[in-house]
Amino acid sequence: MNCEYQPKEQAIYQAVLALFEDGADINNITVAEITGRAGIGKGTAYEYFSGKEEMIAKAFLYNGEVFCRQLYEGVCREKTLADKVNYVLLAMEDQITKTNCVFRLMQMLSENSAVSNWIHKLLKEKRETGIVPAEDVIRAALTDELNERKMPPEEMLTYLMMSVYSKIFCYGMLINDDKYRQEERRKRVRELVNQSICREVTELFELS
Amino acid sequence: MNCEYQPKEQAIYQAVLALFEDGADINNITVAEITGRAGIGKGTAYEYFSGKEEMIAKAFLYNGEVFCRQLYEGVCREKTLADKVNYVLLAMEDQITKTNCVFRLMQMLSENSAVSNWIHKLLKEKRETGIVPAEDVIRAALTDELNERKMPPEEMLTYLMMSVYSKIFCYGMLINDDKYRQEERRKRVRELVNQSICREVTELFELS
Amino acid sequence: MNCEYQPKEQAIYQAVLALFEDGADINNITVAEITGRAGIGKGTAYEYFSGKEEMIAKAFLYNGEVFCRQLYEGVCREKTLADKVNYVLLAMEDQITKTNCVFRLMQMLSENSAVSNWIHKLLKEKRETGIVPAEDVIRAALTDELNERKMPPEEMLTYLMMSVYSKIFCYGMLINDDKYRQEERRKRVRELVNQSICREVTELFELS
Amino acid sequence: MNCEYQPKEQAIYQAVLALFEDGADINNITVAEITGRAGIGKGTAYEYFSGKEEMIAKAFLYNGEVFCRQLYEGVCREKTLADKVNYVLLAMEDQITKTNCVFRLMQMLSENSAVSNWIHKLLKEKRETGIVPAEDVIRAALTDELNERKMPPEEMLTYLMMSVYSKIFCYGMLINDDKYRQEERRKRVRELVNQSICREVTELFELS
DNA sequence: AATGAATGAGGATTCATTCAT
DNA sequence: TATGAATGAATCCTCATTCAT
């Protein structure tokens, strides 16, 4: 599923992500910075990518994939919905406080830049290939509910996903807020968000 | 509160926003495009702003202010919490389908670019001056609840705001989805989001 | 007819031609060299031209026009066909020993490069505007013959022009040959070429 | 005289010529294109040539040699001067309409580029080795005249060659002209050029 | 001998900013 | 005050050449 990344390709990804983590502005990263950080020649990058935008887009998607795979495994390991959600929230917290790349990727989905055009294009291709990690995670989180087969109508599911996504997003914003720097408060919020998500999910499936 | 915008200054704002509405990538807008659209000379822009970043940042904040004032007035006009929330959601929908500028502004708050640095700097200044339009709207929406004076703890209020914000944000994303192009479906979702917000608000204030 | 060249535009033309005269390889001239020689900023060149190729193409066409105008005036001044032809040959000799730009322009007409594409495009435009300096010269040289109205068929005229052109071209190549460095020999060849051209012309018009 | 071309070396030559025939701009051909077309590795080319320029220069000289040998044989086969000249013109026509390489080679002789420097260098070497194919052809065409031993002065011969060359060149330009696309007209011009050349040759030798 | 991955020098082009008018 | 011509720093990308395999 993953080992098909060539070394230099992966070096580029890691360089882009490292630069981002160091606070670089994605829209002003230079190819020289990327290749310098990756420890390869500038020309080499162009053996693997058609341009700077592709490098950045793929780097963030790469990160997204790795993250989703981690989430997927974690979610599968946990038993209850609450534990699954908790695992996701904790992983998100980790991501956000450390790199924030996933957050930025989600943001780019609604931007209109060369990089985000690449992201959309690549996602479309992936979707056609059948690989959609983010949705896999959600499906894995809802196995129990989905197995009972009282399926709610499709647009309700879309709404649910958006809603859950927004709660996680909200959680992400909160832990970025100064008021929630302490683990104590974070925990309380995490529980609130968790309950809120679980309730929404169960209600939806009970109703239908 | 507002009329202190000079004509050329405002022309710049409108030009930036118009370019954005036309699908321009904010990070690649050029000063030439802005001033050309504003119908003024390139040098003139530098009489009012210290650089491109400031123009863009202020343009989006200007738009945010105008939008918030509109929201504020609408929210004050409505009677019940549900109607107030509904007004906000409808205004958001309008914004998003037409210009999306407010959405982009919110995004920029969590970016790390020259423009967003300006935004943070300007917001900080405004906060110090005591003008925080977005919070005014929320306060106006919650007049009844807040008047009852059973104030919940401060970090809960932060949580509430984030939660409400994320729901509105979620609603914004949803109506960008093709599946929700029809007014019929939109209405259903709007009601769902509305209920969800109202319930969260009332619960919080009842509990406390 | 001519004064419509802007100063910086003309500076570029002269810089390109000067570089060529200094022995630069047209296909490897850099924009930095051109603008450096022209004494203007690199960016300024792009205010007047869309790219390097356009600069070079227009520079050579500019030179061609200036040269043709000179030829035209000289040819009009002279009385007999032989004197007219002699004037052209002397002017060519001057051009070739000094700058060789006209020669290079003719060569580029049968190349297939970005510059020559520009030249063809520009020539086509000029032809549509009715300005064809080179043909004006030939027409001026043949006034007497053409006035007698015993017009030969059109493709014969084309042939004549090509033939005359090739003789002049041939003369141009000859005087590039070391053997013809001395004015003595040059004169002899010039007379030969002149006779050859005059004979061809008169024969064609007598025959028809 | 010739069979000493190694397979890979010849593959390079043919690749360069093929690219040129396909309309490539010689000054922008890349080594990758050449070796790709030749079906060999990029590094391999550098086992046989010191650089790109040498590849191109030698490719065109190779083509020139092949063409001259063909001309030489044809000219030797024909009996009269007119037939010899006609053979040359027909061969030229073939070359020009098909590949135009010979034309380009002649052009490069008066250019000032890295490739043409190589050509000059190589031609000088060949001349020292005594191999001058183009002049062999002319000598073969003029066997009868030269045998009569009424040799004109040397610079007259130079002039004659240039003149003949210019006529052939003129013919080449003509058949590139749209007006001369039809074989009918081409034939007429070919005859004209042929007569013109023969007359010039015989006159020169008679005079002397 | 043959290869092609890796390189980085080099060059075209863009565009924010200045400043003389 | 308003301008926009002029600038050149900054950056992407290409491609000839090398060299380890």
Short mmCIF file of all heavy atoms in Angstrom, two decimals, chain C residues 130-170:
data_model
loop_
_atom_site.label_atom_id
_atom_site.label_comp_id
_atom_site.label_asym_id
_atom_site.label_seq_id
_atom_site.Cartn_x
_atom_site.Cartn_y
_atom_site.Cartn_z
N GLY C 130 1.08 46.84 -45.76
CA GLY C 130 1.50 47.42 -47.03
C GLY C 130 2.93 47.93 -47.04
O GLY C 130 3.38 48.51 -48.02
N ILE C 131 3.65 47.71 -45.94
CA ILE C 131 5.04 48.18 -45.89
C ILE C 131 5.99 47.04 -46.23
O ILE C 131 6.16 46.12 -45.42
CB ILE C 131 5.39 48.72 -44.49
CG1 ILE C 131 4.30 49.67 -44.00
CG2 ILE C 131 6.75 49.40 -44.52
CD1 ILE C 131 4.44 50.02 -42.54
N VAL C 132 6.56 47.05 -47.41
CA VAL C 132 7.49 46.00 -47.78
C VAL C 132 8.74 46.65 -48.34
O VAL C 132 8.94 46.71 -49.55
CB VAL C 132 6.87 45.05 -48.81
CG1 VAL C 132 7.74 43.82 -48.97
CG2 VAL C 132 5.47 44.67 -48.43
N PRO C 133 9.60 47.14 -47.47
CA PRO C 133 10.72 47.97 -47.90
C PRO C 133 11.58 47.32 -48.98
O PRO C 133 11.96 47.97 -49.94
CB PRO C 133 11.52 48.17 -46.61
CG PRO C 133 10.59 47.82 -45.50
CD PRO C 133 9.65 46.82 -46.05
N ALA C 134 11.88 46.03 -48.81
CA ALA C 134 12.79 45.37 -49.74
C ALA C 134 12.23 45.40 -51.16
O ALA C 134 12.94 45.68 -52.12
CB ALA C 134 13.05 43.93 -49.31
N GLU C 135 10.93 45.15 -51.28
CA GLU C 135 10.34 45.15 -52.61
C GLU C 135 10.26 46.57 -53.17
O GLU C 135 10.37 46.77 -54.38
CB GLU C 135 8.96 44.51 -52.57
CG GLU C 135 9.08 43.04 -52.16
CD GLU C 135 7.76 42.30 -52.25
OE1 GLU C 135 6.75 42.95 -52.62
OE2 GLU C 135 7.75 41.10 -51.95
N ASP C 136 10.10 47.54 -52.28
CA ASP C 136 10.09 48.93 -52.73
C ASP C 136 11.41 49.27 -53.41
O ASP C 136 11.45 49.96 -54.43
CB ASP C 136 9.88 49.88 -51.54
CG ASP C 136 8.45 49.81 -51.03
OD1 ASP C 136 7.60 49.24 -51.74
OD2 ASP C 136 8.19 50.34 -49.93
N VAL C 137 12.49 48.77 -52.83
CA VAL C 137 13.81 49.06 -53.39
C VAL C 137 13.90 48.50 -54.81
O VAL C 137 14.30 49.19 -55.75
CB VAL C 137 14.92 48.45 -52.51
CG1 VAL C 137 16.27 48.59 -53.19
CG2 VAL C 137 14.94 49.12 -51.15
N ILE C 138 13.52 47.27 -54.95
CA ILE C 138 13.62 46.64 -56.27
C ILE C 138 12.73 47.37 -57.27
O ILE C 138 13.12 47.63 -58.41
CB ILE C 138 13.25 45.15 -56.17
CG1 ILE C 138 14.33 44.45 -55.33
CG2 ILE C 138 13.14 44.53 -57.55
CD1 ILE C 138 14.14 42.98 -55.18
N ARG C 139 11.55 47.72 -56.81
CA ARG C 139 10.65 48.44 -57.71
C ARG C 139 11.27 49.78 -58.12
O ARG C 139 11.21 50.18 -59.29
CB ARG C 139 9.30 48.66 -57.02
CG ARG C 139 8.14 48.63 -58.01
CD ARG C 139 6.81 48.41 -57.33
NE ARG C 139 6.69 47.06 -56.75
CZ ARG C 139 6.33 46.79 -55.51
NH1 ARG C 139 6.01 47.77 -54.69
NH2 ARG C 139 6.26 45.54 -55.09
N ALA C 140 11.90 50.43 -57.15
CA ALA C 140 12.53 51.72 -57.46
C ALA C 140 13.68 51.53 -58.45
O ALA C 140 13.93 52.36 -59.31
CB ALA C 140 13.05 52.35 -56.17
N ALA C 141 14.36 50.39 -58.32
CA ALA C 141 15.49 50.14 -59.22
C ALA C 141 15.01 49.86 -60.65
O ALA C 141 15.73 50.09 -61.62
CB ALA C 141 16.31 48.97 -58.70
N LEU C 142 13.83 49.37 -60.76
CA LEU C 142 13.33 48.96 -62.08
C LEU C 142 12.31 49.94 -62.65
O LEU C 142 11.59 49.61 -63.60
CB LEU C 142 12.69 47.57 -61.98
CG LEU C 142 13.60 46.43 -61.51
CD1 LEU C 142 12.83 45.11 -61.49
CD2 LEU C 142 14.82 46.30 -62.41
N THR C 143 12.22 51.13 -62.09
CA THR C 143 11.19 52.09 -62.56
C THR C 143 11.14 52.19 -64.07
O THR C 143 10.07 52.03 -64.67
CB THR C 143 11.42 53.51 -62.01
OG1 THR C 143 12.77 53.64 -61.60
CG2 THR C 143 10.46 53.82 -60.88
N ASP C 144 12.28 52.44 -64.67
CA ASP C 144 12.31 52.61 -66.12
C ASP C 144 11.75 51.38 -66.83
O ASP C 144 10.85 51.47 -67.66
CB ASP C 144 13.74 52.86 -66.61
CG ASP C 144 14.28 54.16 -66.03
OD1 ASP C 144 13.45 54.98 -65.58
OD2 ASP C 144 15.51 54.33 -66.03
N GLU C 145 12.28 50.23 -66.46
CA GLU C 145 11.85 49.00 -67.12
C GLU C 145 10.35 48.76 -66.90
O GLU C 145 9.62 48.42 -67.84
CB GLU C 145 12.63 47.81 -66.56
CG GLU C 145 14.07 47.75 -67.04
CD GLU C 145 14.96 48.78 -66.34
OE1 GLU C 145 14.49 49.39 -65.36
OE2 GLU C 145 16.09 49.01 -66.80
N LEU C 146 9.91 48.96 -65.69
CA LEU C 146 8.50 48.68 -65.40
C LEU C 146 7.58 49.67 -66.10
O LEU C 146 6.45 49.35 -66.44
CB LEU C 146 8.26 48.72 -63.88
CG LEU C 146 8.91 47.57 -63.11
CD1 LEU C 146 8.82 47.82 -61.61
CD2 LEU C 146 8.22 46.25 -63.44
N ASN C 147 8.10 50.88 -66.32
CA ASN C 147 7.26 51.88 -66.97
C ASN C 147 6.97 51.55 -68.42
O ASN C 147 5.95 51.95 -68.97
CB ASN C 147 7.93 53.26 -66.89
CG ASN C 147 7.66 53.90 -65.54
OD1 ASN C 147 6.78 53.44 -64.82
ND2 ASN C 147 8.42 54.93 -65.21
N GLU C 148 7.89 50.82 -69.04
CA GLU C 148 7.67 50.50 -70.45
C GLU C 148 6.50 49.54 -70.65
O GLU C 148 6.10 49.24 -71.75
CB GLU C 148 8.95 49.94 -71.04
CG GLU C 148 10.10 50.96 -70.92
CD GLU C 148 11.32 50.49 -71.70
OE1 GLU C 148 11.17 49.65 -72.60
OE2 GLU C 148 12.42 50.98 -71.39
N ARG C 149 6.04 49.03 -69.54
CA ARG C 149 4.79 48.26 -69.54
C ARG C 149 4.81 46.95 -70.32
O ARG C 149 3.77 46.33 -70.49
CB ARG C 149 3.62 49.13 -70.07
CG ARG C 149 3.46 50.45 -69.39
CD ARG C 149 2.37 50.41 -68.34
NE ARG C 149 2.50 51.59 -67.46
CZ ARG C 149 1.88 51.70 -66.30
NH1 ARG C 149 1.08 50.74 -65.90
NH2 ARG C 149 2.05 52.75 -65.54
N LYS C 150 5.95 46.58 -70.82
CA LYS C 150 5.96 45.23 -71.43
C LYS C 150 6.16 44.25 -70.29
O LYS C 150 7.23 43.63 -70.15
CB LYS C 150 7.11 45.10 -72.43
CG LYS C 150 7.10 46.13 -73.54
CD LYS C 150 8.32 45.91 -74.43
CE LYS C 150 8.93 47.24 -74.85
NZ LYS C 150 10.30 47.14 -75.37
N MET C 151 5.18 44.14 -69.43
CA MET C 151 5.33 43.34 -68.21
C MET C 151 5.48 41.86 -68.49
O MET C 151 4.66 41.25 -69.17
CB MET C 151 4.11 43.54 -67.31
CG MET C 151 4.18 44.83 -66.53
SD MET C 151 5.59 44.76 -65.39
CE MET C 151 4.96 43.60 -64.18
N PRO C 152 6.51 41.27 -67.96
CA PRO C 152 6.64 39.80 -68.07
C PRO C 152 5.64 39.14 -67.12
O PRO C 152 5.12 39.79 -66.22
CB PRO C 152 8.07 39.55 -67.62
CG PRO C 152 8.51 40.77 -66.91
CD PRO C 152 7.55 41.87 -67.17
N PRO C 153 5.35 37.85 -67.34
CA PRO C 153 4.39 37.17 -66.45
C PRO C 153 4.87 37.19 -65.00
O PRO C 153 6.08 37.24 -64.74
CB PRO C 153 4.36 35.74 -67.00
CG PRO C 153 5.58 35.60 -67.85
CD PRO C 153 5.90 36.96 -68.36
N GLU C 154 3.91 37.11 -64.10
CA GLU C 154 4.21 37.32 -62.68
C GLU C 154 5.26 36.36 -62.12
O GLU C 154 6.14 36.77 -61.39
CB GLU C 154 2.91 37.18 -61.86
CG GLU C 154 3.07 37.64 -60.42
CD GLU C 154 2.54 36.61 -59.45
OE1 GLU C 154 1.83 35.69 -59.90
OE2 GLU C 154 2.85 36.72 -58.26
N GLU C 155 5.17 35.10 -62.47
CA GLU C 155 6.14 34.18 -61.86
C GLU C 155 7.54 34.44 -62.41
O GLU C 155 8.53 34.10 -61.77
CB GLU C 155 5.71 32.72 -62.03
CG GLU C 155 6.24 32.01 -63.23
CD GLU C 155 5.12 31.78 -64.25
OE1 GLU C 155 4.08 32.49 -64.13
OE2 GLU C 155 5.28 30.92 -65.12
N MET C 156 7.60 35.06 -63.62
CA MET C 156 8.91 35.43 -64.13
C MET C 156 9.51 36.55 -63.28
O MET C 156 10.72 36.58 -63.04
CB MET C 156 8.80 35.88 -65.59
CG MET C 156 8.69 34.73 -66.57
SD MET C 156 9.87 33.43 -66.18
CE MET C 156 11.15 33.78 -67.37
N LEU C 157 8.66 37.43 -62.85
CA LEU C 157 9.14 38.50 -61.97
C LEU C 157 9.69 37.92 -60.67
O LEU C 157 10.73 38.34 -60.18
CB LEU C 157 8.00 39.48 -61.69
CG LEU C 157 7.87 40.63 -62.68
CD1 LEU C 157 6.73 41.54 -62.30
CD2 LEU C 157 9.18 41.43 -62.74
N THR C 158 8.94 36.97 -60.14
CA THR C 158 9.42 36.30 -58.93
C THR C 158 10.80 35.69 -59.19
O THR C 158 11.73 35.85 -58.40
CB THR C 158 8.45 35.19 -58.51
OG1 THR C 158 7.14 35.74 -58.40
CG2 THR C 158 8.88 34.59 -57.19
N TYR C 159 10.89 35.03 -60.33
CA TYR C 159 12.17 34.42 -60.66
C TYR C 159 13.26 35.48 -60.76
O TYR C 159 14.36 35.32 -60.21
CB TYR C 159 12.07 33.66 -61.98
CG TYR C 159 13.41 33.28 -62.54
CD1 TYR C 159 14.14 32.25 -61.98
CD2 TYR C 159 13.97 34.00 -63.60
CE1 TYR C 159 15.39 31.92 -62.46
CE2 TYR C 159 15.22 33.69 -64.08
CZ TYR C 159 15.93 32.65 -63.51
OH TYR C 159 17.18 32.34 -63.97
N LEU C 160 12.94 36.56 -61.42
CA LEU C 160 13.92 37.63 -61.57
C LEU C 160 14.40 38.13 -60.21
O LEU C 160 15.60 38.26 -59.95
CB LEU C 160 13.31 38.80 -62.36
CG LEU C 160 14.24 40.01 -62.52
CD1 LEU C 160 15.42 39.68 -63.41
CD2 LEU C 160 13.48 41.21 -63.06
N MET C 161 13.43 38.37 -59.36
CA MET C 161 13.79 38.87 -58.04
C MET C 161 14.68 37.89 -57.29
O MET C 161 15.67 38.28 -56.67
CB MET C 161 12.54 39.16 -57.23
CG MET C 161 12.07 40.58 -57.44
SD MET C 161 10.59 40.91 -56.49
CE MET C 161 11.10 40.46 -54.85
N MET C 162 14.31 36.63 -57.34
CA MET C 162 15.12 35.62 -56.67
C MET C 162 16.52 35.60 -57.27
O MET C 162 17.51 35.48 -56.55
CB MET C 162 14.47 34.23 -56.83
CG MET C 162 13.20 34.07 -56.04
SD MET C 162 13.50 33.94 -54.25
CE MET C 162 11.84 33.63 -53.65
N SER C 163 16.55 35.71 -58.58
CA SER C 163 17.83 35.64 -59.27
C SER C 163 18.71 36.82 -58.87
O SER C 163 19.89 36.65 -58.53
CB SER C 163 17.60 35.62 -60.77
OG SER C 163 18.81 35.66 -61.45
N VAL C 164 18.14 37.99 -58.93
CA VAL C 164 18.90 39.19 -58.56
C VAL C 164 19.33 39.08 -57.10
O VAL C 164 20.49 39.32 -56.74
CB VAL C 164 18.05 40.46 -58.77
CG1 VAL C 164 18.74 41.67 -58.16
CG2 VAL C 164 17.79 40.67 -60.25
N TYR C 165 18.37 38.70 -56.29
CA TYR C 165 18.65 38.55 -54.87
C TYR C 165 19.81 37.58 -54.66
O TYR C 165 20.72 37.83 -53.86
CB TYR C 165 17.39 38.05 -54.18
CG TYR C 165 17.58 37.62 -52.76
CD1 TYR C 165 17.61 38.55 -51.73
CD2 TYR C 165 17.72 36.27 -52.46
CE1 TYR C 165 17.80 38.14 -50.42
CE2 TYR C 165 17.91 35.86 -51.16
CZ TYR C 165 17.95 36.79 -50.14
OH TYR C 165 18.14 36.39 -48.86
N SER C 166 19.77 36.49 -55.39
CA SER C 166 20.81 35.48 -55.19
C SER C 166 22.17 36.00 -55.66
O SER C 166 23.20 35.67 -55.09
CB SER C 166 20.45 34.18 -55.89
OG SER C 166 20.79 34.24 -57.26
N LYS C 167 22.16 36.83 -56.67
CA LYS C 167 23.43 37.39 -57.14
C LYS C 167 24.01 38.34 -56.10
O LYS C 167 25.21 38.34 -55.83
CB LYS C 167 23.22 38.12 -58.47
CG LYS C 167 23.19 37.20 -59.67
CD LYS C 167 22.88 37.96 -60.93
CE LYS C 167 22.05 37.16 -61.90
NZ LYS C 167 22.79 36.05 -62.54
N ILE C 168 23.13 39.13 -55.56
CA ILE C 168 23.59 40.05 -54.52
C ILE C 168 24.09 39.26 -53.32
O ILE C 168 25.13 39.54 -52.74
CB ILE C 168 22.45 41.01 -54.11
CG1 ILE C 168 22.15 41.95 -55.29
CG2 ILE C 168 22.83 41.81 -52.88
CD1 ILE C 168 20.90 42.79 -55.10
N PHE C 169 23.35 38.23 -53.00
CA PHE C 169 23.72 37.36 -51.90
C PHE C 169 25.08 36.74 -52.17
O PHE C 169 25.96 36.70 -51.31
CB PHE C 169 22.64 36.29 -51.76
CG PHE C 169 22.84 35.38 -50.60
CD1 PHE C 169 22.47 35.78 -49.33
CD2 PHE C 169 23.38 34.11 -50.77
CE1 PHE C 169 22.64 34.93 -48.24
CE2 PHE C 169 23.55 33.27 -49.70
CZ PHE C 169 23.18 33.67 -48.43
N CYS C 170 25.23 36.27 -53.40
CA CYS C 170 26.48 35.66 -53.82
C CYS C 170 27.62 36.67 -53.69
O CYS C 170 28.70 36.34 -53.18
CB CYS C 170 26.32 35.17 -55.25
SG CYS C 170 27.80 35.16 -56.23
#
